[in-house]
Amino acid sequence: MKVGYLGPKSSFTFQAANELFEENKLIPFASIPLTIEHLENKTVDFAVVPIENSLEGSVHATVDYLFDQPTITVKEEIILPIRQQLLGTEAVKQPQKILSHPQALAQTKQYLKKYYPEVPLEAVSSTTFAAQYLAEHPKEKALAIASEKAAKEYHLKILASDIQDHTTNQTRFWVLSLDKKQQIASDLEDKKVTLFIILPANLPGALHQVLSAFAWRKIDLSKIESRPLKTYLGEYFFIVDIVLDENKALIKNAIAEIEALHAKVQWVGTYPINKFT
Amino acid sequence: MKVGYLGPKSSFTFQAANELFEENKLIPFASIPLTIEHLENKTVDFAVVPIENSLEGSVHATVDYLFDQPTITVKEEIILPIRQQLLGTEAVKQPQKILSHPQALAQTKQYLKKYYPEVPLEAVSSTTFAAQYLAEHPKEKALAIASEKAAKEYHLKILASDIQDHTTNQTRFWVLSLDKKQQIASDLEDKKVTLFIILPANLPGALHQVLSAFAWRKIDLSKIESRPLKTYLGEYFFIVDIVLDENKALIKNAIAEIEALHAKVQWVGTYPINKFT
């Protein structure tokens, strides 16, 4: 069994993948589309990619890829806390720059503003690259923001721990597979369902009607979000998450009712949630 | 009068700003937060920033800033078509790399896959920077994707025109100002309203109830989208756009009803749409 993931090794996606799969099964890829492409080509059996962060929102590269490729399904969800560390080869009083991925810089914005207001920030391709750069340029007075794992990997010192601005910074990851039929037919107990819903064009109040189909059955949506259809400005599809409980028998009726309204429903996946703290 | 905009000069935001303001009033800033900060500090009278692209979706830097700073309002909306050009100092048979902003690379993905499948793509900070780089490194066999304006600015040749994958690629820009009270009280004729709505926590079906307040008054929403509240995973606020027509007398009643449901409503702006083709 082979499991592709958004690399490099020591990325947060690696950590998520490693919670469910042994390290020797894991193969890193350079981007989200590349990771999922290897699943489609069957060079890997599963693909692990991020889907949403509690601060930055949905990961559009993942959402848009899955919308275009309805054969892919979600097998598992993994929720991980994201903790950012300030790393250096040694403690530096006046660093000349601080390197990290743009999302990590965004997640530590208040910390950086408080302690390093004058230091230029440099956006690089991954938090791991930032750590690697420090290890390879020990004479530059640079610091990096990256994971504890990256600190170990590149033998860097943690100068400040857990510097993310919000203690509740979490990311959802999805384990993707190609066995869609099996997933849809699987037991719904204690699981979550994600649907993509495309509303009929220019029908006023269509979203309200779709939500009514869930509401009167007391099916709670844990998330609803729109993404552009990439046709015209103002045309969207909706991502709907449903946590299943005693309502599960009614889901299929709700979907049938929505389809009768001429909305198109794409069943993305039925999956259990694996939450780590 | 001074108007800040997301620079550099020859950016698409410059073109949007220049449709409503004279060029000698315009001042470029390096990022969206910096542009809006100068409005807050009153060093400029207006700020022009992108809010949504038809392919890439909402511009989160703009949405999240406005959510945190309810004193800022929207005075005008500008809609521009986005056309990408392939630029070079001369025609190159086998370019060694193609430079552009990640969004422009995403918008021309199919074109690049068809004509330059083997050429490495390099993400840089702006389409303008890509054009500038070419002008300054004429001996490197590099190409850039940028606007027609950037081609003129840096004396580059347009090797292929309008190479964006979707002909309907458009971006919405907002002209921001600080005169919120005046904007809310202004005439609603032929205008659009944007609201941010925060639902009461953990109230099942709350979004459905909020949408009902609009639906039974036949107030059509032209957009609804969620953004993370940055508290916990799964907590969101909603961006709602309403195009005003004969329903305008009912908007305030709808908002009062929504507030009675203990949802919080933030009136972002009331503004006319300026659409260019």
Side-chain angles (χ1 to χ4, degrees), chain B residues 11 69 82 106-107 112 118 127 129 132 201 208 212 226 237 277:
Chain B
S11 69
Q69 300 295 343
I82 302 298
Q107 289 164 6
L112 294 172
E118 306 289 331
T127 53
F129 176 86
Q132 188 187 346
H208 176 252
S212 296
S226 62
F237 68 94
T277 50

Side-chain angles (χ1 to χ4, degrees), chain A residues 4-8 13 27-39 47-50 59 61-62 65 125, chain B residues 109:
Chain A
Y5 70 95
L6 174 64
T13 310
I27 305 166
F29 294 103
S31 72
I32 288 170
L34 218 56
T35 310
I36 308 180
E37 255 173 57
H38 276 83
L39 174 68
V48 184
V49 290
V59 179
T62 301
Y65 200 112
S125 60
Chain B
K109 196 162 54 180

Side-chain angles (χ1 to χ4, degrees), chain B residues 27-266:
Chain B
I27 305 167
F29 294 103
S31 72
I32 288 170
L34 219 55
T35 310
I36 309 180
E37 256 174 56
H38 277 82
L39 173 68
E40 279 193 280
N41 301 339
K42 300 185 185 174
T43 50
V44 299
D45 304 286
F46 301 102
V48 184
V49 290
I51 177 70
E52 185 181 13
N53 173 265
S54 55
L55 299 182
E56 299 302 311
S58 283
V59 179
H60 298 153
T62 302
V63 172
D64 291 355
Y65 200 112
L66 295 182
F67 183 72
D68 288 338
Q69 300 295 343
T71 53
I72 299 167
T73 191
V74 186
K75 210 170 172 70
E76 302 273 348
E77 176 162 292
I78 301 162
I79 301 180
L80 273 196
I82 302 298
R83 299 195 182 96
Q84 303 288 2
Q85 321 296 333
L86 185 70
L87 308 183
T89 50
E90 54 177 352
V92 175
K93 267 218 170 149
Q94 289 177 315
Q96 286 180 354
K97 60 180 173 181
I98 298 175
L99 284 78
S100 197
H101 186 268
Q103 280 219 348
L105 293 172
Q107 289 164 6
T108 55
K109 196 162 54 180
Q110 290 167 31
Y111 175 90
L112 294 172
K113 204 170 178 177
K114 186 171 175 190
Y115 293 101
Y116 297 98
E118 306 289 331
V119 180
L121 305 177
E122 196 174 311
V124 294
S125 60
S126 70
T127 53
T128 307
F129 176 86
Q132 188 187 346
Y133 182 92
L134 253 60
E136 290 173 358
H137 300 80
K139 286 188 184 162
E140 285 190 25
K141 284 187 164 184
L143 300 178
I145 294 164
S147 68
E148 205 181 324
K149 191 124 191 147
K152 278 186 198 145
E153 183 92 5
Y154 294 100
H155 309 287
L156 297 169
K157 288 194 182 118
I158 295 179
L159 306 176
S161 300
D162 295 0
I163 61 167
Q164 67 280 357
D165 297 329
H166 298 258
T167 50
T168 54
N169 188 358
Q170 292 179 315
T171 297
R172 295 166 62 205
F173 298 88
W174 275 353
V175 180
L176 302 174
S177 80
L178 291 175
D179 61 343
K180 188 143 194 168
K181 275 185 195 153
Q182 193 190 321
Q183 279 305 104
I184 291 181
S186 80
D187 177 28
L188 294 178
E189 203 66 48
D190 293 326
K191 283 185 183 167
K192 206 167 129 189
V193 167
T194 294
L195 307 174
F196 290 157
I197 301 179
I198 308 171
L199 301 184
N202 301 318
L203 180 61
L207 178 62
H208 176 252
Q209 282 187 293
V210 162
L211 293 185
S212 296
F214 294 115
W216 77 259
R217 290 181 174 85
K218 295 198 187 336
I219 298 172
D220 294 341
L221 309 183
S222 65
K223 166 171 179 149
I224 176 162
E225 183 179 323
S226 62
R227 278 292 297 155
L229 268 181
K230 300 185 195 265
T231 48
Y232 295 93
L233 202 57
E235 296 198 337
Y236 307 94
F237 68 94
F238 290 85
I239 309 157
V240 169
D241 284 1
I242 303 162
V243 177
L244 297 171
D245 44 37
E246 67 273 23
N247 60 31
K248 63 181 182 291
L250 302 169
I251 290 275
K252 281 170 192 177
N253 305 22
I255 291 176
E257 186 174 317
I258 290 165
E259 287 175 333
L261 294 167
H262 303 291
K264 208 185 133 200
V265 179
Q266 186 176 323

